[in-house]
């Protein structure tokens, strides 16, 4: 018998319930999105193969006209809702940082349509960025429908973002980690609990349509001998250098577009839609985000010369595609380039006599994780993503070594997380929210941080911040000067909107 007065705490259950609801809805949306892109891309590949025949060459004129029409249609929608341009991940991060206000329905349907048209046409985009934004829009819509408060709406958005990546790649754990590590920047128990629920539900919906087979299920990858681990260190350094170069070029592409093409920004998308036509005629299998290329590398690794050509072509068109502002992601193109760079490095080591040819595929697999870890500066996400997408747990140590070294190389060179840099470029000077309205943010107390085991009065709080609540396990504590902060506490802090970025940065230094 329960004692009289016993009460169930349903807080976590309610967050799990909302996460599951968001996950199911996001899973349905993303699954149809993913299905439409795959079918449209296959259609375009068949068209290019058909037109490549000499007697069908005249059909190129129709392709040009169709692509121009696609570009004009997307431009119209981007003008109506600018926040659908690009991958969408910086926009989601901006929402969670209170730097951007967006309308969820306007983004949801426009991103859905333009993403299918742009990515499905064969441009070297990934579906994961748009999927994350679509999932976040679903989460935002659920938050508004249920009349959640501001903090709970943010958790709903984060849950939708995790669900979006989970459904796009059948990678629920990586989806959660990406949101915590790269987008929300918080390991709050309520955040990860809701995000995990959403990711699992979305993955269930997606798996029911696409099956349980990992997205990048390559052939059996042999276990790399310890004698070759020194070569992994070289690969990590190479990937870090290439990753930093990728960051620098990507951040300049919109400037180059503005200088070269004196037309409104929304119409830049016509350029890659026309430039992709000769690629489609000469290399139709090279179109799209690149998962087909990665799968083919799992069967046959081309020569070093061919790999270098593929790297150059994929790099150039990735820059041209994303720099145009068309709705599409860089997640999968980054993984594809990482696989190609890893395979090329492995082939080089084979030519030098440092590596047996059977292990080149190992370098291809770890290259994906290392390249993303360096560019995104999210090594945990990179490791988990490749484990889930490839379906192998036997390469955790090589993945960790390469990801860590690539991350450190980019960090030493001064590179920032690519999505954070893209957000800074997006909001720009004069685009921050100007309101004096105050907002609340959640900051976790981590083990070993300056905040841990300190009394409230002894913490060097950033200027213009106010601690209003301490969440500890199942309790809410009104703070006072003598309260000792413990690892695992969640601090709810009030700040002004216009100073949110500066204050967040100061709190990060306290950790």
């Amino acid at each position: 018998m329960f004692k009289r007065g016993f009460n169930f705490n349903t807080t976590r259950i309610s967050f799990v319930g909302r996460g599951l609801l968001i996950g199911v809805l996001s899973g349905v949306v993303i699954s149809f999105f993913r299905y439409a892109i795959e079918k449209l891309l296959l259609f375009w590949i068949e068209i290019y193969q058909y037109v490549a025949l000499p007697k069908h060459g005249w059909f190129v004129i129709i392709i040009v006209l169709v692509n121009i029409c696609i570009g004009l249609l997307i431009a119209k929608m981007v003008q109506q809702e600018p926040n659908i341009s690009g991958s969408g991940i910086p926009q989601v991060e901006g929402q969670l940082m209170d730097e951007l206000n967006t309308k969820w329905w306007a983004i949801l349907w426009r991103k859905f349509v333009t993403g299918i048209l742009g990515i499905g046409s064969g441009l070297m985009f990934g579906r994961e960025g748009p999927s994350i934004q679509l999932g976040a829009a679903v989460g935002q819509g659920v938050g508004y429908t249920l009349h959640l408060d501001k903090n709970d709406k943010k958790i709903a958005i984060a849950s939708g973002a995790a669900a979006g990546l989970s459904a796009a790649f059948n990678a629920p754990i990586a989806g959660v980690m990406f949101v915590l590590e790269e987008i929300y920047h918080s390991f709050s128990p309520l955040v990860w609990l809701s995000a995990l629920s959403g990711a699992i539900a979305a993955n269930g919906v997606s798996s029911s349509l696409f099956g349980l087979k990992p997205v990048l299920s390559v052939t059996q990858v042999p276990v790399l001998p310890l004698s070759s681990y020194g070569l992994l260190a070289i690969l990590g350094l190479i990937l870090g250098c290439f990753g930093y170069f990728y960051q620098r070029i990507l951040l300049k592409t919109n400037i180059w577009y503005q200088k070269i093409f004196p037309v409104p920004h929304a119409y830049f998308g016509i350029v890659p839609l026309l430039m992709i036509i000769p690629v489609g005629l000469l290399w139709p299998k090279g179109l799209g985000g690149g998962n087909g290329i990665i799968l083919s590398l799992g069967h046959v690794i081309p020569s070093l010369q061919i790999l270098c050509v593929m790297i150059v072509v994929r790099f150039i068109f990735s820059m041209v595609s994303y720099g145009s502002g068309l709705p599409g992601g860089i997640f999968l193109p980054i993984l594809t380039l990482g696989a190609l760079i890893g395979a090329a490095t492995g082939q080089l080591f084979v030519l030098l006599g440092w590596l047996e040819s059977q292990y080149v595929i190992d370098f291809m697999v770890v290259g994906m994780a290392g390249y993303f870890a360096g560019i995104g500066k999210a090594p945990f996400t990179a490791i988990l993503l490749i484990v889930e997408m490839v379906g192998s747990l036997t390469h955790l140590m090589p993945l960790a070594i390469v990801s860590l070294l690539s991350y450190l190389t980019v960090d030493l060179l001064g590179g920032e997380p690519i999505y954070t840099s893209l957000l800074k470029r997006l909001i720009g000077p004069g685009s921050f929210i100007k309101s004096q309205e105050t907002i609340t943010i959640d900051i976790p107390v981590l083990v070993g941080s300056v905040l841990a085991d300190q009394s409230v009065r002894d913490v060097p709080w950033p200027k213009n911040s106010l601690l209003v609540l301490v969440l500890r396990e199942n309790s809410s504590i009104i703070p006072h000067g003598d309260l000792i902060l413990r690892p695992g506490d969640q601090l709810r802090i009030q700040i002004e909107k216009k100073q949110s970025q500066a204050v967040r940065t100061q709190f990060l230094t306290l950790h």
Side-chain angles (χ1 to χ4, degrees), residues 16-97:
V16 169
R18 286 202 294 267
L20 291 173
L21 173 62
I22 293 169
V24 170
L25 296 176
S26 298
V28 171
V29 172
I30 306 307
S31 294
F32 280 108
F33 182 70
R34 177 177 165 183
Y35 180 82
I37 288 173
E38 291 181 0
K39 292 301 181 182
L40 184 58
L41 181 58
L42 287 175
F43 171 78
W44 274 108
I45 290 175
E46 292 177 356
I47 290 294
Y48 280 117
Q49 291 173 334
Y50 175 82
V51 177
L53 299 175
K55 60 181 180 179
H56 301 145
W58 62 271
F59 204 79
V60 172
I61 299 174
I62 297 178
I63 295 178
V64 170
L65 295 176
V66 169
N67 279 11
I68 290 175
C69 291
I70 291 174
L72 293 174
L73 177 60
I74 294 176
K76 182 67 174 178
M77 292 191 177
V78 170
Q79 287 177 323
Q80 293 171 346
E81 179 49 75
N83 284 315
I84 66 171
S85 64
S87 74
I89 296 176
Q91 287 89 333
V92 175
E93 188 173 354
Q95 283 182 270
L96 296 176
M97 295 176 65

Side-chain angles (χ1 to χ4, degrees), residues 426-485:
L426 174 67
I427 56 181
S431 296
F432 286 90
I433 296 174
K434 299 299 183 180
S435 171
Q436 295 294 323
E437 178 187 351
T438 59
I439 61 171
T440 56
I441 59 175
D442 286 342
I443 299 293
V445 178
L446 306 179
V447 176
S449 70
V450 175
L451 297 172
D453 300 317
Q454 293 288 325
S455 63
V456 170
R457 71 171 76 257
D458 293 332
V459 173
W461 299 103
K463 186 179 179 181
N464 300 322
S465 64
L466 176 64
L467 176 64
V468 295
L469 194 66
V470 176
L471 304 175
R472 179 174 297 171
E473 296 182 350
N474 296 327
S475 303
S476 297
I477 304 172
I478 303 299
H480 53 81
D482 295 326
L483 177 65
I484 303 298
L485 303 177

Side-chain angles (χ1 to χ4, degrees), residues 97 109 186 494:
M97 295 176 65
W109 77 267
S186 171
Q494 193 173 60

Side-chain angles (χ1 to χ4, degrees), residues 378-419:
F380 288 106
T381 299
I383 295 169
L384 291 173
L385 184 67
I386 299 308
V387 167
E388 289 190 291
M389 292 181 69
V390 175
S392 173
L393 290 170
T394 60
H395 295 79
L396 285 174
M397 184 59 72
L399 288 170
I401 291 172
V402 173
S403 297
L404 177 61
L405 288 173
S406 177
Y407 171 91
L408 290 175
T409 301
V410 174
D411 195 63
L412 288 172
L413 292 173
E416 293 185 340
I418 188 61
Y419 294 112

